[in-house]
Amino acid sequence: MDLLALADFNLVARHGGVGKAARAAARPKATLSRRVAELEASLDVRLFERGARDLKLTEEGRALFERTAVLLTELDETAAAIASRGHHPRGRLRISAPLLFSQIAMGRIAAGFAIKFPEIRLEVTTEDRPVDMVEEAYDLVIRVNPAPDDALVGRAFLHDRLVVVAAPDLHRSADAPVPAVVRGVIGQIQTWELSTASGKTNIHVDPILGLSSLVMVRDAVRAGAGVARLPLSLVSHDLVAGTLLHWGDVEGPGTALWALYPSRRLLSTRVSAFLDHLREAFPKGTPEELAAYIAW
């Protein structure tokens, strides 16, 4: 398979059209169209449904994009890392990271990075809001389950899952709703669907306490205020110690932390160095690896 054609296919798929991809990458439209057509011919399959105004991935095209986008990113990151050897990364590196990850791990990660790369001036801003990387001059953003963005590329470096936990003495009634602690604004009585060792079950909860951070939610649950949905990494030590009990896993997709940057073609040695540093910090990307930072 032609890797250049595959890269151009990914470029067009990510931007949703040849014209948008050509403008974003400053490439001729004719070249991108030809490369995609050559890839389709070599695979003997149609990768796009071509409409009057835009392109849509076929089922085969979507499968190819999902399986190759990460691989191409890894190849480009590896090439950038090799090219940077013998050159000491230097200059300013600005990163935006979410609140919980920053509270748990970012201080230690940033310190290790600063010691390893003394010529890089690292600035980390903690915020959960979406940021405009270009307008706000960020080199890298770390986000939880980010929405697709055709202007950004990156990788998931850490995975977690939500669990329902409560203090051991919290009474669980089959009839009345259980008091709950939630992040954000409290509302009506809710039904939470859980996955347990014995199968799926539902619990009715009455949100009585709304807090703005998950660390606050965990502390309130420890104090017996109610049941809560929290990341496993944040409560794994409590579950081992028995200070909190595991009622079940929250149904639905898991949580992934992504490191995102504007363009793989412009990956700087500073960003590449920090991505390598994240991989070293979380080689398996498990909740237990993040939980280790809490116990540190």
Side-chain angles (χ1 to χ4, degrees), residues 90-204:
R90 63 183 64 196
R92 190 174 72 159
L93 177 63
R94 298 193 70 233
I95 297 176
S96 170
L99 176 62
L100 181 61
F101 179 72
S102 298
Q103 290 175 327
I104 293 175
M106 197 48 139
R108 185 177 168 192
I109 290 172
F113 184 79
I115 293 170
K116 187 185 299 183
F117 299 99
E119 296 184 61
I120 295 180
R121 296 295 178 259
L122 176 62
E123 298 176 7
V124 180
T125 301
T126 297
E127 51 201 349
D128 288 328
R129 67 175 179 86
V131 298
D132 187 317
M133 293 190 66
V134 176
E135 290 293 328
E136 300 179 56
Y138 283 112
D139 302 291
L140 185 77
V141 297
I142 297 174
R143 285 295 175 263
V144 179
N145 291 349
D149 189 331
D150 58 18
L152 301 178
V153 293
R155 61 165 59 247
F157 67 90
L158 189 61
H159 296 271
D160 210 338
R161 71 177 191 270
L162 289 177
V163 293
V164 175
V165 296
D169 57 354
L170 183 70
H171 178 63
R172 181 172 181 176
S173 172
D175 303 321
V178 180
V181 185
V182 298
R183 183 185 182 190
V185 180
I186 58 177
Q188 303 289 330
I189 292 176
Q190 304 172 12
T191 300
W192 292 354
E193 185 175 355
L194 310 182
S195 177
T196 67
S198 57
K200 295 182 180 179
T201 185
N202 293 330
I203 61 170
H204 301 293

Side-chain angles (χ1 to χ4, degrees), residues 170-250:
L170 183 70
H171 178 63
R172 181 172 181 176
S173 172
D175 303 321
V178 180
V181 185
V182 298
R183 183 185 182 190
V185 180
I186 58 177
Q188 303 289 330
I189 292 176
Q190 304 172 12
T191 300
W192 292 354
E193 185 175 355
L194 310 182
S195 177
T196 67
S198 57
K200 295 182 180 179
T201 185
N202 293 330
I203 61 170
H204 301 293
V205 300
D206 182 10
I208 63 166
L209 183 58
L211 301 171
S212 62
S213 86
L214 291 176
V215 172
M216 294 167 64
V217 172
R218 180 203 58 189
D219 292 345
V221 172
R222 281 176 174 173
V227 67
R229 296 182 290 196
L230 288 166
L232 176 60
S233 59
L234 189 60
V235 296
S236 61
H237 295 295
D238 292 278
L239 296 177
V240 172
T243 51
L244 291 177
L245 297 182
H246 179 217
W247 284 21
D249 292 353
V250 175

